[in-house]
Amino acid sequence: MRELIAILRGITPKEACSVAEVIIQSGISIIEVPLNSPNALKSIELMVKSFDKEIIFGAGTVLKKNQVQDVFDCGGRIIVSPNCSGDVIRETKLKGLISLPGVFTASECLCALENGADGLKFFPSSIIQPEGFQAIKAVLPKDTRSYAVGGVDSNNFLDWFRAGVTGFGVGSSLYKVGDSKKNISAKAKRLVVAFDQAQASNFRRGD
């Protein structure tokens, strides 16, 4: 499974399944609907019911632990936040879900891991930059899963891979409200090709 998360901010239940379909067909198998999207829980529920269980659906912008229960109830499996909340992380793990809290500093990273986070969302990565991430990574456990989110696209995947990041969350470079299915499909396919090429190039460089 590619460590590439599609962030569908602003999507509505009416288009959720059709958009998810073209994204899944491109090779992306992790989809996040931020909770500040219109009727986000309904969108997640519809997608969960419509697609194979190998696809991971979940919610972003999860700020309170009662929201974790809401996502769990509609079949979501991943909880993503813009911040580091111990309450949200612990509740996520109690429900058996995947926890990806947002972090910006070494202190937040270590706090998130101490509370049981499965991985770290470095946000906004446009400010942290690969150099900043690399410095923080030096003090983290070597097997820490890390995702650059906020300002990443096909043009800088390789820079982040070389800095040691695990994967990415992509939002506006993949989906914007009003996009056609054809346009979303084309962007998703370009992102997947760029991800695979950058990952392969980084692997060869590591050899």
Side-chain angles (χ1 to χ4, degrees), residues 10-23:
I11 199 166
T12 64
K14 183 178 180 180
E15 62 176 339
C17 289
S18 60
V19 170
E21 182 178 24
V22 298
I23 289 174

Side-chain angles (χ1 to χ4, degrees), residues 88-155:
V88 170
I89 297 168
R90 290 190 296 272
E91 185 68 14
T92 299
K93 297 318 298 175
L94 281 173
K95 294 288 184 294
L97 308 181
I98 300 166
S99 171
L100 294 181
V103 296
F104 191 81
T105 66
S107 295
E108 289 176 335
C109 292
L110 295 170
C111 179
L113 294 173
E114 286 168 4
N115 278 283
D118 295 290
L120 303 173
K121 167 188 170 180
F122 284 83
F123 175 82
S125 60
S126 58
I127 297 176
I128 298 171
Q129 292 292 311
E131 295 80 9
F133 166 75
Q134 198 166 31
I136 295 172
K137 182 178 181 292
V139 302
L140 301 179
K142 290 186 178 180
D143 60 350
T144 300
R145 292 164 63 187
S146 53
Y147 300 83
V149 181
V152 292
D153 58 30
S154 56
N155 295 314

